[in-house]
Amino acid sequence: MDSRIVDELFRPVSGETGTPLDFVRSSLGRQLKSWTSLGEMGGGDNWWTMASGAQSADVNMSLIANASEESLDSALEIISRVGVPSLALLAGPGLGHAARLPERGFAFAGTMPLMAISLEAAQPRSTKSDGFEFRKAYAKQDTDAVINLLHESFETPPEACAFIVSPEIAKSPGIYFWLLLDQGQPVCTVTTTTEEGLLGIWSMATPPRAQRKGYGHALLSHVMQEHAQQGQRVGLLGASPAGEPLYRRIGYEVIEHWQVFASGVSSQIH
């Protein structure tokens, strides 16, 4: 993605300091705050930690984009205090910590592209097919369907999936759990969060039995259109190797790469 476009898409809000990427990274951290009701959230200059309290590395994470060892210590101290397995994501100047993380009990798990799209520039497209129904998950039967799809897709422990989609979190402002049903059967889900015109895409999940049928493309396109109408300008996501081709087809572009380390089993990084 051209740096000029990055500057335009991610121009910090009034009073925000740092680069556009600094703003994006910190915004993604703030969008995760609702998942810390049983844990802890902390942050500083170009780092943040979200410790949900659930015993799954995929729902506890730190992003460190600061070269100082103090930032690394502060981020990982929160995880240690809450006592959970976690992911450590390194970006920008924070990539220099890669050699230190194995000493802290983290193993390299892969590279994650941070991808973005302008929702204003994305062309509207018809994704509605006969038998398709797009739904925000509020009712228990819908949140149960989201939990089952997450478990099937990522093999994340059911209790961790249930925590992610708990009734309390489902009621949080700015968080939406989406479902695509085909002929009444749940086949795909995605979670979205919003802040300052930015749309965060999380946990895009299509189980193996439902893959290669266009469900992910249909649901994500629908969600992007819905959020563009609500005023969000930019979509952001961290792509898994399996998901990156889909996101590229829709129009997402890589704006930087994060290195991912895990202190426990991570089902989303392959």
Side-chain angles (χ1 to χ4, degrees):
M1 182 174 279
D2 181 82
S3 61
R4 177 185 58 80
I5 299 175
V6 172
D7 290 345
E8 177 64 27
L9 290 180
F10 307 120
R11 183 179 294 118
V13 296
S14 177
E16 184 86 18
T17 59
T19 69
L21 276 174
D22 293 338
F23 173 57
V24 167
R25 296 169 187 145
S26 62
S27 175
L28 285 173
R30 290 191 294 268
Q31 291 180 46
L32 293 170
K33 186 174 182 180
S34 294
W35 278 278
T36 60
S37 57
L38 299 179
E40 188 174 341
M41 187 91 193
D45 181 18
N46 282 318
W47 70 268
W48 53 258
T49 291
M50 185 278 287
S52 71
Q55 292 295 320
S56 172
D58 293 322
V59 289
N60 304 286
M61 64 188 72
S62 300
L63 174 66
I64 303 104
N66 187 314
S68 76
E69 193 158 356
E70 180 181 358
S71 296
L72 178 67
D73 290 341
S74 297
L76 298 187
E77 194 276 332
I78 294 173
I79 291 293
S80 177
R81 186 164 62 244
V82 177
V84 288
S86 72
L87 302 179
L89 313 172
L90 303 182
L95 293 169
H97 297 303
R100 301 186 181 98
L101 283 173
E103 302 169 0
R104 310 291 185 94
F106 287 81
F108 181 66
T111 300
M112 175 185 291
L114 177 63
M115 306 185 76
I117 191 171
S118 168
L119 300 181
E120 296 171 329
Q123 293 296 314
R125 64 191 73 189
S126 175
T127 58
K128 189 83 170 181
S129 297
D130 288 343
F132 279 20
E133 179 186 353
F134 301 101
R135 184 185 295 175
K136 291 179 183 177
Y138 294 116
K140 186 178 187 302
Q141 66 179 30
D142 291 338
T143 55
D144 285 349
V146 172
I147 291 167
N148 290 335
L149 288 169
L150 291 172
H151 174 58
E152 275 191 81
S153 301
F154 302 128
E155 298 183 357
T156 302
E159 58 273 17
C161 297
F163 175 84
I164 294 169
V165 197
S166 70
E168 293 75 21
I169 292 181
K171 295 174 184 175
S172 300
I175 296 176
Y176 303 95
F177 300 105
W178 301 83
L179 276 173
L180 169 58
L181 294 86
D182 187 2
Q183 305 297 331
Q185 296 301 311
V187 292
C188 187
T189 184
V190 70
T191 300
T192 60
T193 56
T194 60
E195 191 212 47
E196 298 287 356
L198 301 183
L199 167 66
I201 304 288
W202 312 89
S203 302
M204 185 86 199
T206 307
R209 60 177 169 80
Q211 291 176 3
R212 301 188 182 279
K213 297 181 180 180
Y215 294 139
H217 191 290
L219 180 58
L220 188 52
S221 296
H222 174 81
V223 165
M224 288 166 50
Q225 291 174 31
E226 289 284 314
H227 278 286
Q229 292 171 8
Q230 294 175 14
Q232 275 72 58
R233 298 183 300 106
V234 178
L236 295 164
L237 57 84
S240 67
E244 185 175 353
L246 165 65
Y247 306 135
R248 287 187 179 276
R249 288 195 298 272
I250 289 177
Y252 281 83
E253 297 182 54
V254 176
I255 57 175
E256 69 172 347
H257 284 88
W258 295 353
Q259 288 189 3
V260 183
F261 292 77
S263 66
V265 176
S266 171
S267 57
Q268 298 191 47
I269 307 297
H270 301 282

